[in-house]
Amino acid sequence: MHRQTPHNEPGEEKHLQLDFQEPPENLPPGRRTPGEPQPNMDDEVLEQVVSVFNTLVSWVAAGAMVFGGVVPYIPQYRDIRRTQNAEGFSTYVCLVLLVANILRILFRFGRYFETLLLWQSIIMIGTMLIMLNLCTDVRTATELNTKRRSFIATDSKDEEVRIPKRLFLDLDWTYFWSWSRFVDYMQCVVAFTMVAAYITYLLLDSALFVESLGFLAVFTEAMLGTPQLYCNYQNKSTEGMSIKMVLMWTSGDTFKTGYFLLTQAPVQFWTCGLLQVFVDFTILFQVYYYSHFPQKPVSHTVSHTTSAKAL
């Protein structure tokens, strides 16, 4: 006897095969097809938390990069306004930072870098102009009061008090960056920007010029701490220098250099950033050395002015 193998009609076999291969449609919410892995709600929540945290950290880092450099000048600005004395702040710091950041902006036309660094330069330029305006007004008022007191002491009339004006357009290098009006500083900054922009426009196709321009911009800013370093060396003391300010410089420059490395900024940025960190740590070493091995008697009657520096 032969065993008969049951078989289906061709149409019926095709129908059964389609039913086996195609997943069921219109499943109610919450139900999944057989074999599909069930999602882990804890993993989804964790991914969302990590995403929000990363976004928050990136915003904080961006804000620190843009505004961190101007933070040290906020208390300096308030102190000058409160005391009406600008002798503790060197306007040459403003000059160095203005030149460095103007050159950095021009460098961007030849070599692209992150937009955050561009905004950092723009905000720093605005901050230095505000500091210059305040220092000029305070210095002019101080000179006027000094003249008035000297005229009163000699029984002269108040209307005779005059302050000799030192103007940028006089082109007298004896009074360079010590002018009587804020508008003269603005004229100098505009003139320098126009000349530098014209030279950059002519030589923009030269890779050597562009790279040199970028290096000059960040190197100028990196050398801003060297006057304080040299001053400490000359005095053989760090008396009158704020250690908290130096620690702020060090932390800011370290963060900035790390940011340059992580964002793959042009080599000029992180190279000069490392130089800034080296200068900061050298100043901190001076603090340690001169406090443990004093080179001369510490004077408490002479007040030393401290230099201001960007982060």
Side-chain angles (χ1 to χ4, degrees), residues 9-24:
E9 296 295 331
E12 184 179 357
E13 182 179 359
K14 182 178 180 181
H15 176 71
L16 293 175
Q17 184 178 3
L18 290 177
D19 287 345
F20 177 78
Q21 290 181 351
E22 292 183 355

Side-chain angles (χ1 to χ4, degrees), residues 10 12 15 19 22 24 34 42 49 66-67 71 81 83-84 109 137 142 147 193 209 235 238 272 285-286:
E12 184 179 357
H15 176 71
D19 287 345
E22 292 183 355
D42 293 338
V49 171
V66 174
F67 298 102
V71 170
R81 283 187 62 90
T83 61
Q84 290 298 300
F109 288 96
D137 292 341
T142 301
K147 283 277 188 178
T193 304
F209 172 79
N235 296 333
T238 57
C272 292
F285 175 76
Q286 286 182 324

Side-chain angles (χ1 to χ4, degrees), residues 92-162:
Y92 282 98
V93 173
C94 300
L95 172 63
V96 173
L97 286 175
L98 285 170
V99 171
N101 285 279
I102 290 171
L103 293 180
R104 182 194 287 187
I105 292 175
L106 295 176
F107 173 60
R108 194 174 191 266
F109 288 96
R111 176 81 177 275
Y112 177 83
F113 56 82
E114 199 173 4
T115 306
L116 286 177
L117 301 179
L118 175 64
W119 279 108
Q120 181 193 48
S121 295
I122 294 174
I123 292 176
M124 181 60 72
I125 290 174
T127 303
M128 291 301 101
L129 292 177
I130 292 174
M131 293 296 298
L132 276 176
N133 187 24
L134 176 64
C135 292
T136 304
D137 292 341
V138 170
R139 186 173 57 204
T140 302
T142 301
E143 292 179 0
L144 182 60
N145 291 333
T146 303
K147 283 277 188 178
R148 183 175 290 114
R149 284 194 298 268
S150 65
F151 271 73
I152 291 176
T154 57
D155 295 330
S156 300
K157 295 182 180 179
D158 186 62
E159 53 266 22
E160 295 178 358
V161 177
R162 295 289 185 273

Side-chain angles (χ1 to χ4, degrees), residues 34-52:
E36 184 175 354
Q38 296 292 330
N40 192 331
M41 296 300 295
D42 293 338
D43 292 342
E44 292 182 358
V45 172
L46 181 60
E47 289 179 2
Q48 293 178 358
V49 171
V50 171
S51 177
V52 172

Side-chain angles (χ1 to χ4, degrees), residues 72-83:
Y73 301 99
I74 295 177
Q76 185 72 60
Y77 182 89
R78 298 179 61 182
D79 288 342
I80 295 175
R81 283 187 62 90
R82 178 175 52 85
T83 61

Side-chain angles (χ1 to χ4, degrees), residues 15 87-88 105 110 119 128 148 155 182 195 210 212 215 218 250 266:
H15 176 71
E87 293 181 0
I105 292 175
W119 279 108
M128 291 301 101
R148 183 175 290 114
D155 295 330
F182 173 69
V195 172
V210 172
S212 301
F215 179 79
V218 291
T250 307

